[in-house]
Amino acid sequence: MCRSRRVAGACLALLLSGCGGPTFIVQQYSGPVRPSDSIAVLRVNGDGGIVLVSLDGEPIRTRVADDARLHVEMVPGRHRLAFADLADAGRPLGRAAFVAGAGKTYRPLFASHGGGARVFEVDAASDAPLRDATVADPGQESALPDPGQQPARQPLPPVR
């Protein structure tokens, strides 16, 4: 009996140690909380080097601690976002549009090899990218900065 308690305690400790830090949830829509299968989630991992600057024109500019993540709950449909790359302060803001589906989770990324800003649908449990969900957004092109001009970037607040 004593041995089984120690094993169960050790398993519980391993499970808890693998859970990571907190998840901060922000509701982007008005009204009461909706069921998870009726909303989409935009996920920003604190250790991913991405800072969400705005979503659908609403400023966010919140940096997430390395051991935490931010979930923005939103209604399904077309969304536009801007995000910054913490690893490359000289990189222009990433801007992307995507169509969110109910019950799906998405994550902004800078694609390697000059692929630019993209939004990927990810597996909610493993966070593994499933597909590129980025879509063309004709209205966004005029909002992008001139390639020869670097946008002014304000420093982000420190993580507490």
Side-chain angles (χ1 to χ4, degrees):
M1 178 88 159
C2 185
R3 183 170 192 266
S4 64
R5 282 187 183 168
R6 279 185 280 162
V7 170
C11 289
L12 180 60
L14 285 174
L15 286 173
L16 292 175
S17 67
C19 289
T23 299
F24 298 97
I25 301 172
V26 176
Q27 179 180 311
Q28 191 208 23
Y29 56 88
S30 59
V33 174
R34 298 178 183 192
S36 61
D37 62 352
S38 70
I39 59 163
V41 172
L42 181 65
R43 175 183 291 168
V44 178
N45 296 329
D47 63 357
I50 297 288
V51 173
L52 191 58
V53 175
S54 69
L55 177 60
D56 296 331
E58 295 179 30
I60 296 177
R61 292 193 66 82
T62 300
R63 184 170 173 195
V64 182
D66 285 351
D67 69 339
R69 63 185 177 185
L70 172 68
H71 279 187
V72 180
E73 295 181 344
M74 56 194 167
V75 295
R78 183 180 284 270
H79 295 278
R80 293 169 55 182
L81 57 99
F83 51 97
D85 184 353
L86 289 175
D88 185 356
R91 183 188 295 225
L93 288 180
R95 299 181 190 276
F98 66 106
V99 177
K104 307 283 184 182
T105 301
Y106 300 87
R107 191 159 49 96
L109 295 168
F110 282 101
S112 58
H113 308 295
R118 313 298 292 173
V119 178
F120 285 84
E121 179 184 343
V122 297
D123 180 82
S126 70
D127 204 38
L130 300 175
R131 69 178 182 87
D132 186 341
T134 312
V135 297
D137 188 0
Q140 189 175 1
E141 297 306 318
S142 62
L144 291 174
D146 179 347
Q149 176 185 10
Q150 290 293 326
R153 297 196 44 194
Q154 300 173 355
L156 296 169
V159 176
R160 296 181 198 255

